[in-house]
């Protein structure tokens, strides 16, 4: 039985397209003619339209004009393309802000914004919600059954928060519900007796901000949870008419890299497919590292819905909003697009199709530049990516069967930031999660990025770096993973605070995790940035930075010990058998080599091998797989800008692009190969 889970079941192929803003060229339709011609030439089969079109679609309140959208959807369809249709709530028309100022956001300083920029609406305002529903209903009525439309793109890059009176009220209601309308319950959860902060009533509570309370960690955490919940309710409000009128069309929102504001593990529950906008800073340092960090986010977006995702935006050349804006070097442009596919994307899409002539993004990379031709280096590489996607179309909808996972949690990140302790200037949570993901990436092992609440039963090995906030449900989830035979790797800070950011009492890690790991943790030595310490693992000394935790084994066996510090001779890494599985505790932060040796040992023990014959791959090389249950597809990528790499496949496989069957492969710099078996 073959399994396919197409991101867009409405179009079971790879999508290759871009954000398309034809409303910017309404005054010159010869540009539209040229666009259609160039789309075919670029091997593009999809355009995402309507993202910022509200001012054209509803130029005055209640006056609608869909003529440009009618024509564009028709033209794209006749041109052989598909459309992902966007709702326009990411940027509102002037009249709406003028007539109903409540739709404008109030910032952390309590000041209401003027009409400006985008992505800055109040997510509580009943007026904004109503106006968004009206335009979305009109769009769904008009285009929901249009065969050219294959999916809905809801708003754009939801982010940020608002502290207007309506949001304050909604926040208080959220807390009333959460704490059973009992202010004393909240006081205890927030530990408000500290510095005499006791609340007498929910009406006294304000969102944390520039001039309001920020010292109550539970409050800060609940604010972030509220912002996530309120954004989800805004999305549900937006999608209600769409789901009613076009239930067959999947709904997505475009998410972001290293995004802080919203817990995407939660937000993904109100959408059908995950999509994201990927803008790595290629060539700023080692491209292998940049590729691996980007891979982390591709893996995360695939894991959110456990199915193929969409690469919604990427630049075909450069962005214009970073301190330095370097075009992608030849080769890397196509390679970085195929990377998304290797990790489970069913699309390669760009921001943007055609460069705008004016305003903020006039120098942002685009498929078509101001020259208006198909004769640029960038255009040709987009053509090439389109050719590859056509040739490998059978891979669309195939899934990734990862046996390894890294836990990454937004709530944990917020709590770590709250926490006034350890190192104040950043605890490097993302970097630490990247370091664990790198172990798998470098060995060509597929890896999911999951929530601590995720079903872990399909994994052989799970790393839970710096899982400082560990609530009861997580304690249970981790415990049962190990009980049932999994290998769990926890680190320093595990199980320190509970779900309301109160410290666990009775020793850490929390509750029965002490038995699972067979250790207790006593204290953490925070190293100064220049300090280095060491630990010895399997007879070899490794460098440690930032954190060395002092732990005491109860039932665990010691794998590595500190060789300096006042804790020299005490355990730095332990392993404990528990139930049918084992729990490894890594008490310190190493600079890479200790993790490498440890995971070589663990992976050997559990028999988890990578996608290639050898797990020790040349620098910059990785291998990822997708499957339909019967046929496996293998992607080989080389991110080294200078070195050609030689690797050996597990067995002879057929190259999908050349048709040749090979066993040994030579990969030039910035190249990829795609095989089938
Ligand atoms: C100061 C304050 C204390 C406490 C400590 C923490 O000394 O007076 O209340 O905050 O700093 O180091
Ligand atoms: C984001 C936005 C786009 C555009 C690009 C530029 O992804 O969604 O509208 O601004 O950034 O990189």
């Amino acid at each position: 039985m073959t399994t396919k889970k197409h991101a867009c079941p409405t179009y079971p192929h790879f999508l290759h397209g871009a954000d398309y803003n034809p409303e910017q060229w309404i005054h010159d339709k010869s540009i539209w003619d040229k666009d259609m011609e160039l789309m075919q030439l670029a091997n593009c089969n999809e355009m995402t339209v309507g993202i910022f079109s509200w001012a054209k679609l509803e130029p005055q309140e209640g006056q609608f004009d869909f003529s440009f959208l009618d024509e564009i959807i028709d033209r794209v369809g006749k041109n052989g393309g598909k459309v992902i249709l966007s709702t326009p709530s990411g940027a509102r028309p002037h009249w709406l802000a003028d007539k109903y100022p409540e739709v404008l956001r109030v910032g952390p300083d309590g000041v209401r914004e003027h009409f400006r920029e985008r992505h800055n609406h109040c997510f509580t305002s009943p007026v904004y919600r109503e106006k968004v529903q009206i335009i979305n209903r009109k769009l769904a009525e008009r285009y929901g059954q249009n065969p050219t439309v294959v999916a809905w793109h809801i708003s754009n890059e939801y982010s940020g928060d608002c502290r207007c009176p309506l949001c304050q009220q909604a926040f208080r209601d959220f807390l009333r519900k959460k704490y059973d309308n009992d202010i004393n319950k909240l006081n205890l959860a927030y530990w408000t007796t500290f510095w005499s902060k006791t609340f007498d009533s929910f009406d006294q509570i304000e969102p944390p901000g520039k001039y309001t309370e920020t010292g109550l960690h539970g409050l800060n955490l609940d604010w972030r949870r509220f912002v996530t919940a309120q954004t989800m309710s805004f999305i549900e409000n937006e999608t209600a008419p769409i789901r009613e009128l076009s239930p067959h069309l999947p709904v997505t929102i475009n998410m972001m890299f290293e995004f802080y504001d919203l817990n995407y593990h939660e937000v993904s529950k109100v959408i059908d497919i995950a999509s994201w906008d990927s803008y790595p800073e290629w060539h700023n340092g080692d491209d292998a590292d940049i590729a691996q960090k980007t891979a982390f986010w591709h893996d995360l977006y695939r894991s959110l819905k456990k199915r193929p995702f969409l690469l919604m935006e990427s630049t075909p050349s450069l962005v214009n909003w970073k301190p330095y804006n370097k075009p992608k070097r030849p080769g890397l442009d196509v390679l970085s697009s195929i990377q998304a596919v290797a990790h489970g994307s069913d699309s390669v899409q760009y921001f943007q199709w055609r460069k705008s002539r004016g305003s903020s993004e006039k120098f942002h990379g685009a498929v078509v530049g101001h020259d208006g031709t198909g004769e640029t280096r960038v255009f040709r590489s987009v053509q090439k990516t389109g050719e590859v996607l056509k040739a490998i179309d059978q891979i669309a909808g195939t899934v990734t069967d990862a046996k390894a996972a890294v836990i990454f949690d937004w709530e944990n990140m917020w709590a770590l930031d709250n926490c006034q302790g350890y190192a104040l200037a950043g605890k490097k949570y993302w970097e630490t999660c990247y370091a664990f993901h790198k172990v798998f990436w470098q060995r060509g092992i597929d890896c999911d990025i999951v929530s601590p609440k995720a079903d872990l039963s399909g994994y052989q090995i799970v790393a839970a770096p710096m899982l400082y906030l560990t609530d009861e449900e997580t304690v249970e989830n981790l415990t049962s993973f190990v009980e049932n035979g999994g290998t769990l790797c926890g680190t320093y800070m595990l199980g320190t605070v509970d779900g309301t950011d109160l410290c666990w009492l009775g020793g850490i890690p929390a509750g029965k995790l002490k038995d699972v790991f067979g250790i207790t943790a006593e204290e953490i030595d925070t190293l100064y940035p220049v300090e280095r310490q060491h630990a010895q693992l399997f007879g070899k000394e490794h460098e440690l930075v930032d954190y060395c935790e002092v732990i005491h084994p109860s039932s665990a066996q010691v794998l590595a010990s500190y060789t300096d510090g006042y804790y020299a001779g005490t355990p730095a890494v332990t392993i404990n058998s528990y139930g049918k599985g084992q729990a490894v505790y890594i008490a310190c932060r190493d600079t890479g080599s200790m993790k490498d040796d440890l995971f070589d040992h663990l992976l050997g023990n559990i028999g988890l091998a990578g996608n290639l014959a050898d797990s020790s791959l040349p620098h910059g090389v990785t291998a990822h797989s997708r499957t339909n249950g019967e046929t496996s597809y293998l992607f080989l990528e080389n991110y080294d800008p200078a070195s050609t790499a030689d690797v050996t496949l597990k067995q002879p496989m057929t190259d999908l692009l050349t048709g040749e069957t090979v066993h040994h492969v030579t990969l030039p710099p910035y190249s990829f190969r795609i095989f089938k078996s």
Side-chain angles (χ1 to χ4, degrees):
M1 252 264 294
T2 59
T3 318
K4 281 206 176 190
K5 295 184 181 175
H6 292 280
C8 289
T10 40
Y11 186 68
H13 304 280
F14 283 115
L15 294 166
H16 185 225
D19 272 30
Y20 181 35
N21 305 299
E23 65 272 37
Q24 291 174 17
W25 305 92
I26 257 172
H27 54 282
D28 181 2
K29 290 211 183 153
S30 71
I31 295 281
W32 292 12
D33 298 338
K34 190 74 187 165
D35 283 338
M36 296 305 134
E37 196 186 303
L38 290 174
M39 278 171 202
Q40 291 207 352
L41 204 59
N43 295 311
C44 282
N45 61 8
E46 179 276 338
M47 290 290 131
T48 306
V49 298
I51 303 180
F52 299 115
S53 305
W54 200 342
K56 278 275 179 273
L57 299 175
E58 193 180 357
Q60 291 304 321
E61 187 172 15
Q63 289 173 22
F64 297 93
D65 177 2
F66 292 98
S67 52
F68 107 83
L69 206 48
D70 287 352
E71 189 174 340
I72 278 300
I73 294 177
D74 188 53
R75 280 192 184 217
V76 172
K78 288 199 173 117
N79 210 35
K82 295 290 173 191
V83 159
I84 294 184
L85 186 55
S86 183
T87 66
S89 64
R92 75 208 64 81
H94 223 305
W95 60 260
L96 183 48
D98 296 346
K99 185 161 177 198
Y100 308 102
E102 71 164 57
V103 306
L104 300 168
R105 232 170 233 190
V106 171
D109 55 1
V111 175
R112 196 181 287 278
E113 290 193 15
H114 289 219
F115 178 77
R116 64 180 203 109
E117 304 284 342
R118 60 175 179 169
H119 304 161
N120 51 2
H121 57 266
C122 168
F123 43 46
T124 303
S125 158
V127 170
Y128 202 59
R129 286 179 176 228
E130 186 199 334
K131 294 295 174 193
V132 167
Q133 267 211 352
I134 292 171
I135 185 93
N136 288 5
R137 178 170 290 281
K138 296 254 177 217
L139 288 167
E141 278 166 359
R142 205 169 181 95
Y143 307 110
Q145 300 298 325
N146 186 317
T148 298
V149 177
V150 292
W152 287 100
H153 175 294
I154 305 300
S155 202
N156 197 58
E157 296 190 335
Y158 282 105
S159 61
D161 48 34
C162 170
R163 290 165 175 79
C164 73
L166 294 166
C167 287
Q168 295 208 21
Q169 205 44 55
F171 182 42
R172 289 172 192 146
D173 291 343
F174 172 88
L175 296 176
R176 275 194 190 92
K177 194 162 167 220
K178 174 162 183 185
Y179 295 99
D180 303 324
N181 208 15
D182 179 352
I183 196 66
N184 290 328
K185 231 179 181 173
L186 177 142
N187 278 317
L188 196 58
Y190 291 0
W191 213 248
T192 53
T193 40
F194 183 83
W195 288 353
S196 257
K197 302 285 182 190
T198 310
F199 292 109
D200 305 314
S201 121
F202 283 90
D203 294 326
Q204 291 171 326
I205 299 175
E206 295 178 297
K210 192 166 174 200
Y211 302 113
T212 52
E213 184 60 60
T214 54
L216 297 173
H217 297 167
L219 175 73
N220 296 343
L221 205 50
D222 275 343
W223 170 249
R224 296 252 58 92
R225 289 175 173 137
F226 163 75
V227 170
T228 294
Q230 201 68 348
T231 302
M232 288 167 73
S233 115
F234 190 91
I235 296 171
E236 284 180 303
N237 175 75
E238 274 220 33
T239 50
I242 281 166
R243 291 195 181 282
E244 178 193 325
L245 295 163
S246 54
H248 63 296
L249 293 180
V251 158
T252 190
I253 59 167
N254 51 339
M255 296 178 266
M256 290 172 267
F257 176 76
E258 291 193 350
F259 187 63
Y260 191 85
D261 303 356
L262 302 170
N263 179 351
Y264 283 156
H265 290 309
E266 285 299 307
V267 175
S268 64
K269 292 176 182 165
V270 296
I271 56 171
D272 303 318
I273 41 174
S275 72
W276 81 289
D277 303 341
S278 173
Y279 295 103
E281 217 164 304
W282 294 110
H283 318 309
N284 186 7
D286 183 353
D287 279 328
D289 276 345
I290 298 162
Q292 181 257 317
K293 280 185 195 142
T294 308
F296 178 97
W297 289 86
H298 286 313
D299 286 337
L300 185 147
Y301 289 111
R302 182 193 66 243
S303 307
L304 279 185
K305 301 298 284 186
K306 276 286 216 180
R307 61 181 303 149
F309 62 97
L310 296 178
L311 175 63
M312 186 57 79
E313 294 179 23
S314 60
T315 177
S317 57
L318 48 73
V319 296
N320 69 333
W321 44 264
K322 295 198 180 182
Y324 301 93
N325 296 294
K326 203 176 181 61
K328 291 179 183 172
R329 288 199 212 165
L332 194 271
D333 42 7
V334 183
L335 172 61
S336 61
S337 296
I338 297 306
Q339 178 189 29
V341 177
H343 286 268
S345 177
D346 269 1
S347 74
V348 173
Q349 291 157 281
Y350 311 99
F351 180 87
Q352 50 196 326
W353 168 254
R354 180 184 280 274
K355 261 183 202 179
S356 68
R357 189 167 181 197
S359 219
S360 309
E361 289 176 329
K362 62 178 180 285
F363 295 123
H364 194 287
V367 180
V368 182
H370 293 138
D371 63 305
T373 74
E375 270 138 45
T376 59
R377 178 182 75 88
V378 169
F379 190 91
R380 279 192 292 271
S381 79
V382 169
Q383 270 179 318
K384 170 87 195 297
T385 300
E387 276 165 28
V388 174
L389 292 177
K390 275 185 195 166
I392 63 168
D393 196 54
Q394 58 184 286
I395 300 179
T398 58
V399 300
T400 305
D401 185 20
K403 295 290 174 215
V406 172
I407 290 178
F408 170 78
D409 184 31
W410 270 267
E411 297 206 342
N412 181 55
M413 174 174 68
W414 299 331
L416 279 169
D417 276 2
N418 259 330
C419 137
Q420 292 153 293
Y422 311 105
L424 286 187
K427 298 177 182 65
K428 303 186 189 162
Y429 180 46
W430 271 324
E431 290 83 342
T432 307
C433 291
Y434 293 155
F436 279 86
H437 174 264
K438 185 176 187 175
V439 163
F440 302 114
W441 186 89
Q442 272 185 333
R443 287 164 179 73
I445 297 173
D446 298 311
C447 173
D448 283 353
I449 308 295
V450 297
S451 139
K453 313 281 192 316
D455 175 3
L456 303 175
S457 60
Y459 303 114
Q460 282 179 261
I461 186 163
V462 172
M466 293 178 81
L467 202 57
Y468 160 87
L469 183 150
T470 314
D471 63 14
E472 278 161 36
E473 191 185 336
T474 299
V475 171
E476 287 304 323
N477 199 31
L478 298 181
T479 303
S480 72
F481 171 66
V482 181
E483 259 168 5
N484 291 314
T487 295
L488 176 66
C489 304
T491 76
Y492 53 94
M493 296 188 200
L494 174 71
T496 306
V497 299
D498 69 8
T500 56
D501 217 336
L502 290 178
C503 293
W504 281 104
L505 300 179
I508 55 171
K512 60 181 165 192
L513 289 181
K514 283 187 281 295
D515 299 329
V516 174
F517 286 91
I519 61 119
T520 53
E522 185 180 332
E523 58 180 344
I524 292 194
D525 185 12
T526 301
L527 307 187
Y528 289 108
V530 293
E531 258 188 296
R532 294 289 178 272
Q533 303 242 353
H534 300 87
Q536 198 172 61
L537 174 76
F538 309 137
K540 213 168 108 194
E541 193 150 278
H542 300 277
E543 189 179 65
L544 308 177
V545 290
D546 301 338
Y547 298 114
C548 293
E549 192 172 50
V550 180
I551 60 170
H552 304 287
S554 47
S555 56
Q557 181 197 332
V558 178
L559 290 181
S561 300
Y562 293 113
T563 56
D564 40 23
Y566 63 88
Y567 31 79
T570 69
V573 179
T574 59
I575 188 163
N576 191 48
S577 294
Y578 185 85
K580 293 186 207 140
Q582 53 185 350
V584 180
Y585 196 85
I586 306 166
C588 47
R589 182 180 283 169
D590 75 306
T591 50
S593 64
M594 187 178 85
K595 228 180 276 97
D596 273 336
D597 287 3
L598 176 65
F599 277 85
D600 277 337
H601 172 80
L602 296 174
L603 293 166
N605 260 349
I606 63 172
L608 181 58
N611 286 308
L612 292 176
D614 189 352
S615 289
S616 154
L617 305 183
H619 173 260
V621 173
T622 190
H624 296 281
S625 70
R626 292 179 69 161
T627 176
N628 64 13
E630 273 177 5
T631 307
S632 295
Y633 299 94
L634 176 71
F635 292 77
L636 280 185
E637 304 146 59
N638 180 8
Y639 293 92
D640 192 293
S643 304
T644 293
D646 292 306
V647 294
T648 305
L649 309 183
K650 282 184 173 167
Q651 77 262 348
M653 293 180 91
T654 309
D655 185 314
L656 271 187
L657 300 175
T658 65
E660 58 176 334
T661 298
V662 291
H663 197 181
H664 302 283
V665 184
T666 298
L667 281 171
Y670 291 151
S671 72
F672 63 91
R673 298 280 292 266
I674 306 168
F675 298 98
K676 142 183 191 164
S677 69

